[in-house]
């Protein structure tokens, strides 16, 4: 992170607008920070109290003239609602890349921005595009070696970028003897930073060229319809206090016993009662159901969460209870109990 580095721009590039932006920053005291090819205001802005805005509060801004900057854009987009964050994509020469993102404090302001500012003439003859941001949070990474374990991939991704929620490996539908990973992140920004790192080769994951893309709807549907059950993923919500690969261990549970064992272990170690949260997020016609699960233990520093597949059997056992049981097995492993 570093403050607005306008002094590093070539003097010959857009001098008039550069000086206007410098004067505006000095007059208003607005703090602009440049990182990874984008310049950001807020996220959160000064005086912000509470949680970040909900999904659906961000708009995409396109067709920007390359010599237009925050001194014009931020007041314009603030005119329709309170900004939580504004991100302008930048080139190394000091011009913008023609697009930006504005995140508002609520969804209503984002809708107003689209209504009021789409096709707004920001310069004579230059009308901008303003539309709802898709805020994509899922990536597909194709071309991974079949020898790459999920445990090792998880470790590499957690070390390189924040916000990873789940990792699911599939046989690649496009390449022989390769794997495809679906990565889910906590926010669009986190996913975008991971995508940038992967595409620029900052992470040595594979000797081959990786194909890194936003997860496309048709691929997502194709993977959902796959006959082979995908693998289970668990991710500690933060940096693990233990060894790097500790958060993923093959599951060999005794059905129905792990919940009781985890509860007994937590009582024995005075960690408090484990709290489970589960939600069915997908049901396949062949009986497989995908659950998001999380367990929080008051005396343990990090919750464990992730996705798992369970199959409805003839006994009618609750899929929620099965998912909890599998998560309990994983938590027992992390706590050092076989």
């Amino acid at each position: 992170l570093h403050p607005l580095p306008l002094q590093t721009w070539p003097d010959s590039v857009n001098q008039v607008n550069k000086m206007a932006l410098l004067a505006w920053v000095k007059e208003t005291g607005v703090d602009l920070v440049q990182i990874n090819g984008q310049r950001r205001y807020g996220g959160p802005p000064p005086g912000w109290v509470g949680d970040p805005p909900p999904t659906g509060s961000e708009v995409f801004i396109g067709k920007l003239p390359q010599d237009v900057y925050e001194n014009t854009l931020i007041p314009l987009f603030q005119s329709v609602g309170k900004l939580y964050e504004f991100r302008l994509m930048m080139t190394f020469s000091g011009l913008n890349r023609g697009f930006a993102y504005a995140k508002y404090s609520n969804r209503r302001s984002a809708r107003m921005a689209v209504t009021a500012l789409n096709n707004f003439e920001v310069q004579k003859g230059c009308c901008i595009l303003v539309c709802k941001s898709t805020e994509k949070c899922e990536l597909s990474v194709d071309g991974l070696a079949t020898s790459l374990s999920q445990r090792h991939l998880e470790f590499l991704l957690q070390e390189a970028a924040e916000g990873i929620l789940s990792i699911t490996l599939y046989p690649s539908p496009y390449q022989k003897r390769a794997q495809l990973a679906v990565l889910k992140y906590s926010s669009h920004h986190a996913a975008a930073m991971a995508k940038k790192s992967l595409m620029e080769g900052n992470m040595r994951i594979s000797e081959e060229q990786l194909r890194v893309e936003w997860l496309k709807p048709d691929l997502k549907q194709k993977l959902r319809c796959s006959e082979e059950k995908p693998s289970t993923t668990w991710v500690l919500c933060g940096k693990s206090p233990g060894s790097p690969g500790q958060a993923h261990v093959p599951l060999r549970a005794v059905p129905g016993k792990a919940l009781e064992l985890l509860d007994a272990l937590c009582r024995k170690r005075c960690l408090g009662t484990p709290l489970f949260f589960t939600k069915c997020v997908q049901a396949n016609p062949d009986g497989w159901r995908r659950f998001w699960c999380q367990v929080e233990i008051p005396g343990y520093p990090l919750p464990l969460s992730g996705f798992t597949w369970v199959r409805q059997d003839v006994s009618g056992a609750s899929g929620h209870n099965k998912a909890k049981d599998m998560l309990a097995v994983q938590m027992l492993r992390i706590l050092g109990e076989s």
Side-chain angles (χ1 to χ4, degrees):
L1 287 177
H2 47 88
L4 181 64
L6 298 186
Q7 67 278 7
T8 65
W9 291 0
D11 289 339
S12 60
V13 174
N14 205 20
Q15 185 70 11
V16 173
N17 286 13
K18 170 186 172 181
M19 297 310 296
L21 177 57
L22 279 170
W24 177 76
V25 168
K26 184 176 180 180
E27 178 185 350
T28 62
V30 165
D31 185 23
L32 299 179
V33 175
Q34 187 152 331
I35 178 173
N36 293 329
Q38 61 180 277
R39 205 159 58 209
R40 187 180 70 206
Y41 157 76
W48 180 269
V49 177
D51 296 328
T55 301
S57 303
E58 186 174 81
V59 298
F60 170 79
I61 307 155
K63 298 185 179 179
L64 287 173
Q66 285 193 285
D67 59 352
V68 169
Y69 301 114
E70 291 89 345
N71 56 315
T72 297
L73 296 172
I74 287 180
L76 175 63
F77 281 85
Q78 280 180 329
S79 69
V80 298
K82 183 177 180 180
L83 282 176
Y84 173 81
E85 183 181 64
F86 188 91
R87 294 183 288 125
L88 182 63
M89 306 301 126
M90 299 296 298
T91 69
F92 290 110
S93 66
L95 297 171
N96 78 60
R97 292 166 58 195
F99 67 101
Y101 295 89
K103 180 172 285 190
Y104 287 91
S105 59
N106 53 61
R107 296 187 182 105
R108 182 174 177 272
S109 295
R111 290 195 296 268
M112 288 180 63
V114 173
T115 301
L117 300 177
N118 187 39
N119 290 321
F120 182 85
E121 193 174 45
V122 72
Q123 282 183 358
K124 187 173 181 180
C126 295
C127 295
I128 60 174
L129 166 71
V130 181
C131 61
K132 181 180 176 182
S133 172
T134 55
E135 298 187 67
K136 297 176 182 177
C137 297
E138 291 179 299
L139 301 175
S140 66
V141 182
D142 195 14
L144 297 168
T146 54
S147 59
L148 179 67
S149 70
Q150 190 161 316
R151 175 180 175 180
H152 189 204
L153 177 60
E154 179 184 317
F155 172 59
L156 292 172
L157 292 170
Q158 285 184 322
E159 287 295 307
E162 297 181 351
I164 184 73
L165 292 180
S166 70
I167 305 160
T168 309
L169 283 172
Y170 299 86
S172 172
Y174 307 115
Q175 301 184 47
K176 291 182 179 180
R177 296 182 295 279
Q179 294 187 96
L180 181 144
V182 173
L183 314 179
K184 185 175 180 63
Y185 284 84
S186 58
S187 67
H188 174 76
H189 177 70
M193 291 300 97
K195 182 174 184 284
K196 184 174 186 294
S197 293
L198 286 164
M199 293 184 70
E200 292 181 352
N202 296 340
M203 291 184 275
R204 293 301 301 167
I205 292 179
S206 174
E207 296 298 324
E208 304 299 326
Q209 183 68 34
L210 294 179
R211 182 179 173 185
V212 184
E213 299 178 324
W214 295 109
L215 182 60
K216 296 176 181 178
D218 57 340
L219 174 59
K220 192 171 187 176
Q221 184 61 33
K222 187 173 186 177
L223 295 174
R224 280 181 176 176
C225 296
S226 173
E227 292 183 359
E228 183 172 354
K229 181 180 76 70
S231 53
T232 293
T233 53
W234 305 116
V235 177
L236 282 168
C237 301
K239 293 293 183 182
S240 171
S243 60
Q246 196 176 28
H248 183 84
V249 179
L251 302 178
R252 294 182 178 86
V254 178
K257 296 295 184 182
L259 285 169
E260 299 174 18
L261 290 170
L262 180 62
D263 189 60
L265 180 64
C266 289
R267 286 200 306 271
K268 178 181 176 182
R269 296 191 184 180
C270 300
L271 296 176
T273 302
L275 300 175
F276 286 86
F277 306 90
T278 61
K279 182 178 180 180
C280 182
V281 295
Q282 182 182 340
N284 287 352
D286 58 2
W288 285 105
R289 294 186 178 185
R290 193 180 191 214
F291 284 83
W292 174 85
C293 323
Q294 186 173 83
V295 59
E296 296 180 5
I297 298 175
Y300 191 75
L302 300 171
L304 178 69
S305 65
F307 295 86
T308 186
W309 290 82
V310 300
R311 191 164 193 167
Q312 194 73 32
D313 56 30
V314 293
S315 68
S318 167
H320 290 272
N321 285 339
K322 284 186 174 183
K324 289 178 185 178
D325 197 62
M326 294 179 73
L327 183 54
V329 171
Q330 191 70 8
M331 199 70 224
L332 284 167
R333 303 278 180 144
I334 290 170
L335 292 172
E337 293 291 319
S338 64

